[in-house]
Amino acid sequence: MKVPALAVSSLLLISHFSLAAPVQVVASFTVLADITQQIGGNDVTVKSLVAPNGDPHSFEPTANDSRALAMAQVVVVNGLGLEGWMDRLVMASGYRGKITVASSGITTNTMQEEGKTVTDPHAWNSLANGEVYARNIMKALEKADPEHAADYQKRADAYIQKMQQLDQWAIQQYKSIPANRRLVLTSHDAFGYYGKRYGVTFSAPLGLSTESEASAQQVGDLITQMKKKHIKHYFTENQTDPRLVKQIAVASGATPGGELYPEALSTAEGPAPTYLSAFKYNTEQLLQSMR
């Protein structure tokens, strides 16, 4: 039986689309991986180098990570000094493509650490910055896969709309809390952008990196500050050792407020498996402690 030429052509076209491989994306840590997945949908396959509940500051890449990077079509990083290990990994992998810096274009915060001015890398914790991240990632996917550019745009627009709604919800929620009750102790300085956006004052024994160390004087000063400002609650973080913050809390009389997810999402079974669910969970935990 002879198959008509038009039918053969149609079958080949269907085969082409069905076999079109998704864009291979490697993201440095889970927050970026989730934003990429939300925008990329079925048109991408995303690998996060740092696993759920993992610390992006102290991450140690493996040979498997190097191989994944070598095969990637798009690589997404936060930048701003967060991934100190990334340059070594890129060199080891032989990756030669462009690296998408998701934080490109935001207005950065700085702080003093050990006499030096350092940039705060945790920009995603403000949803206003999250919108910038989403647009940068969308553009990278469009460039790598122009055929699905309209799909990336559509998903990004819908995702950003959800982000904006959640951002306004948080702003309104905090307006109902007196400023003198919006005071919180956490493990390290991961909430600078969040605090600036939503009017919350955070204190922490460790600096911008979980690898920093607090001196005895710094710990003593923090305990004094907490007592003076009547900071009543402390929060641990899913990716850090909670022992130091608990010691400070005991000395100052603060009570536990729960666990936050500032820079590592939970597993799918946890309370913060996506960027937006982590933001909402963190905000609800904080608001509950203030009320």
Side-chain angles (χ1 to χ4, degrees), residues 167-188:
D167 178 61
Q168 290 304 308
W169 167 81
I171 290 171
Q172 292 304 316
Q173 291 296 310
Y174 279 117
K175 282 183 178 179
S176 66
I177 307 292
N180 63 357
R181 291 170 63 181
R182 286 185 249 132
L183 307 171
V184 180
L185 172 70
T186 57
S187 298
H188 84 297

Side-chain angles (χ1 to χ4, degrees), residues 13-274:
L13 185 62
I14 292 170
S15 175
H16 167 73
F17 282 111
S18 63
L19 293 176
V23 177
Q24 300 297 306
V25 183
V26 170
S28 58
F29 69 115
T30 51
V31 170
L32 300 184
D34 179 63
I35 295 174
T36 304
Q37 190 66 68
Q38 299 296 329
I39 296 170
N42 292 330
D43 297 317
V44 300
T45 297
V46 186
K47 173 182 172 60
S48 177
L49 295 174
V50 183
N53 297 312
D55 187 341
H57 296 284
S58 59
F59 175 69
E60 292 290 341
T62 65
N64 285 338
D65 296 321
S66 181
R67 284 191 286 271
L69 198 66
M71 297 175 65
Q73 294 166 270
V74 175
V75 174
V76 183
V77 302
N78 182 75
L80 306 181
L82 179 72
E83 306 99 335
W85 41 268
M86 195 69 194
D87 287 345
R88 299 192 305 274
L89 180 59
V90 169
M91 188 174 295
S93 71
Y95 178 75
R96 294 289 181 267
K98 183 180 178 182
I99 293 178
T100 299
V101 180
S103 65
S104 180
I106 69 155
T107 301
T108 57
N109 293 343
T110 58
M111 67 180 294
Q112 294 295 314
E113 281 190 356
E114 299 178 356
K116 297 179 181 178
T117 301
V118 291
T119 299
D120 184 349
H122 307 92
W124 64 87
N125 280 321
S126 159
L127 287 179
N129 290 334
E131 182 174 342
V132 177
Y133 278 56
R135 294 198 184 283
N136 285 335
I137 290 170
M138 177 195 72
K139 290 174 184 176
L141 294 178
E142 288 176 340
K143 187 172 182 180
D145 182 21
E147 188 175 344
H148 295 103
D151 296 320
Y152 296 134
Q153 178 76 60
K154 184 178 179 180
R155 284 190 289 258
D157 288 345
Y159 184 55
I160 288 170
Q161 187 174 23
K162 291 180 183 178
M163 205 180 291
Q164 291 170 340
Q165 290 170 349
L166 195 57
D167 178 61
Q168 290 304 308
W169 167 81
I171 290 171
Q172 292 304 316
Q173 291 296 310
Y174 279 117
K175 282 183 178 179
S176 66
I177 307 292
N180 63 357
R181 291 170 63 181
R182 286 185 249 132
L183 307 171
V184 180
L185 172 70
T186 57
S187 298
H188 84 297
D189 282 314
F191 286 95
Y193 294 91
Y194 184 104
K196 190 172 183 179
R197 177 71 175 170
Y198 307 107
V200 181
T201 299
F202 290 89
S203 298
L206 301 180
L208 295 173
S209 172
T210 55
E211 296 183 294
S212 61
E213 296 182 0
S215 67
Q217 182 177 343
Q218 288 173 319
V219 170
D221 289 345
L222 184 54
I223 292 170
T224 301
Q225 179 188 30
M226 289 182 66
K227 289 179 178 178
K228 185 177 180 181
K229 292 186 176 181
H230 305 289
I231 298 177
K232 298 179 179 180
H233 300 285
Y234 75 91
F235 287 85
T236 57
E237 299 169 11
N238 67 317
Q239 85 295 356
T240 60
D241 187 331
R243 287 176 293 180
L244 179 57
V245 71
K246 286 183 177 180
Q247 290 170 9
I248 293 170
V250 169
S252 66
T255 57
E259 185 176 60
L260 301 178
Y261 294 78
E263 58 187 21
L265 302 180
S266 69
T267 61
E269 296 74 30
T274 69

